[in-house]
Every structure is written in C-alpha cells, then in structure tokens.
Amino acid sequence: MRIGLIGTGRIGSFHADVLARHPAVGSLVVADPDTARAALVAARTGATAVDSAEEVLGAGIDAVVIASATSAHAGLIGRAARAGLPAFCEKPVALDLAGTLGALREVERAGSVLQLGFMRRFDAGYAAARAAVRDGSLGRLHTVRATTSDPAPPPAAYLPLSGGLFRDCLVHDFDMLRWVTGREVTEVYATGSDAGPAMFREAGDVDTAAAVLTLDDGTLATATATRCNGAGYDVRMELAGERDQLAVGLDGRTPLTSAEPQGPPAPAEPWPGFLERFAPAYAAELDAFLGVVRGEAANPCDGREALHALRVAEACERSRERRRPVRMSEIPED
C-alpha cells in the first residue's frame, strides 16, 4: 500500500518510523508545514517528502495518517472523506463539539473510514483489565480510579491550542473508562487548580484537575490529571470489584515510591513520557488501521467513539466552570 502522512512532529515522526517498516506499506509520502522537518523524516525512513497536505492527498495514496496540528484535524478529515480515502487521525477530531460533529457528518456522508488515535485501547494492561471486567473475575465493579500525570508542563504556546486539561489529557481516561467497563457516564462533578506555573492562569487553563463520574450502573469513578508530576510519567487505572482489584500501569517503571518500610523503592528508570510508555500501543493501532484499510478488520475506534469521550470532557469543563454537577444529557450528541 501507498500511505500518506500529514504532520512530522514528535508523534508524526514516530508514526513514520512505524509505517516505513511495516510489511504492508510499500511506499510512504509525508508532508509538514515545516518542510525541512518533513525532509529529514523522509530521508531517515525512505519516504517521499512533498510540500503540502494537498500534495499528499493527490499522490495516489491508499490511506492517510493525520498527525498535524490539532487545529487542522477537522479540515483534513473532511478532505480525506471527500477524496474517498480511509483516514487515521490523532485525537481530537476537533477542540469543540461543533467542529467534531461537522467532521463526523462529512465522514458519514462520504461513507468513508475514520479511525481515531486512542492508543490506550491497544495497551496490553488496559486490554487485560477490559477482559477481567467482562469475564467477571473482579465481581461487581464498584470503584474505578484513573490518573494521568505528565512529568513537566508543555510549552506555554501550546496551552491556548490544547483545549484544556480535560479535553487534551483526561479525554484518554474518559475513553478508557467507557472501553474497559462497557458502561456510559451519566453525571460528572469536576474541579481544577491553576496554582502551578502562571502560564496556566494566563491561558485560562488548569495544571491539575479531578473529576468524580457516575456510570450508568452506579459504579463510581475518579479521574485525576496534572501537568506537574516531577517523579515521571504516570498513567494508571485501578478497578475495584467485590471479588478482587486490578491495576493497569503498575510496573517497575511506575514513578511511585512506597512510604512503607518494606515497600518498593522509587524506580531506577521511571517512565519519562507518553511515547516511551505507549510505544507498543502506538505501533499496534497503526497496524490495526492498515488491517481496516485492507478490509481485514473492523474499525476499532471510529469517530463516534471519540465523540463520546469528548462529551465527557465537555461535561467536566462545564462542571468546573459552573461549580456544579453536570448530567451527560446536558451535552449535545448530534
């Protein structure tokens, strides 16, 4: 297959490496607004660099991977749909519900394929947790605790473009909450703190956030996130049932130190970031996409799945701003 890649930043460069060595990919065409960066990625991977997204879409490709700036996602999704090209896109579809719904309508009108990049669906730990919930080994699930903690804040210029901590960061936890448990969120109560670096206050964002979520079967969940976790990159989910408990993301590199005298010490090499922690999952999601393009597999994460997670993030942001619980029925879904 001939695959196009739009965007060669950190994640786009990683995707280029994965695609270049995939046995189903015969050739790769890449583009980035930073043409020098695209040329470097092309030279390293044996791809062909072109000057624009338009050239990628017109290069006789079989499918396109979109790893551009978030603000360009919805437009590129629409253009790929109109061209009849299957598309893989990093989350989010757009930073707001209106933009997301508009792009999804274009995909649905065209009858084309859109797979969203919620890579945690391809992580071995989350997959095992999903299986444990479904096979009943935990018993009735009563509590879920999810956390995402970045080791350091992103650049200040990124914050106004990110959509905020709930939409940019915790949206992964919201997707996992639905995917692992098989339940829907019915109500949220969320808050946040901007007591850290001043750039968060200046951007109208928070550096730390927490949400309590009620699922449709009465299970209670908490989701917390911070941009300021100096110990390292920490992503975990703990599921507690009447029979047993299970933790995702608890291993020898989890940046967590026990205060107990006989507890484990701090890890020698804590996870430094998301690419290192989820590298196998990122590769697996692209492998799945290529299987979808070849007609060998069903879409594992279509645009409507991304919409569900974004609606939960929107509800949390509304709850934080208005300082009250928000029912999911308050958030448009069409």
Side-chain angles (χ1 to χ4, degrees), residues 70 121 130 165 175 183 185 199 215 234 242 244 287 301 331 333:
T70 295
R121 292 181 177 223
R130 187 175 193 258
L165 193 58
D175 181 62
R183 314 305 307 193
V185 176
M199 64 182 182
L215 306 190
D234 186 11
E242 290 182 335
D244 203 357
D287 180 68
C301 188
I331 309 301
E333 56 183 319

Side-chain angles (χ1 to χ4, degrees), residues 61 87 95 108 114 117 132 147 152 154 196-197 214 226 235 245 251 270 293 311:
I61 57 176
L95 287 177
E108 289 162 3
L114 172 64
T147 189
T214 302
T226 184
V235 170
Q245 293 191 100
D251 60 23
V293 174
R311 288 181 64 244

Side-chain angles (χ1 to χ4, degrees), residues 16-204:
D17 290 334
V18 171
L19 292 166
R21 62 176 179 261
H22 197 285
V25 178
S27 59
L28 182 63
V29 184
V30 304
D32 191 280
D34 184 337
T35 55
R37 183 167 67 185
L40 286 173
V41 169
R44 189 185 73 242
T45 61
T48 299
V50 295
D51 290 336
S52 66
E54 290 79 5
E55 289 183 69
V56 171
L57 296 173
I61 57 176
D62 298 296
V64 62
V65 172
I66 300 168
S68 62
T70 295
S71 58
H73 286 186
L76 290 170
I77 288 169
R79 283 153 66 184
R82 292 191 294 274
L85 289 170
F88 172 94
C89 185
E90 282 298 327
K91 67 86 186 166
V93 174
L95 287 177
D96 59 13
L97 283 172
T100 299
L101 288 167
L104 295 185
R105 291 187 191 109
E106 288 224 55
V107 171
E108 289 162 3
R109 277 196 297 269
S112 59
V113 170
L114 172 64
Q115 180 181 327
L116 260 291
F118 281 101
M119 77 292 182
R120 295 187 195 181
R121 292 181 177 223
F122 299 88
D123 177 75
Y126 282 105
R130 187 175 193 258
V133 171
R134 280 157 176 73
D135 69 20
S137 59
L138 301 182
R140 181 187 69 85
L141 196 64
H142 52 75
T143 308
V144 182
R145 296 176 288 270
T147 189
T148 294
S149 300
D150 289 334
Y158 173 75
L159 294 178
L161 310 175
S162 71
L165 193 58
F166 290 107
R167 300 184 190 94
D168 180 51
C169 186
L170 276 167
V171 72
H172 282 289
D173 297 277
F174 301 148
D175 181 62
M176 282 298 92
L177 186 58
R178 296 183 61 252
W179 188 76
V180 169
T181 67
R183 314 305 307 193
E184 297 294 342
V185 176
T186 59
E187 184 178 87
V188 309
Y189 188 80
T191 188
S193 169
D194 61 5
M199 64 182 182
F200 290 96
R201 293 184 290 280
E202 292 163 1

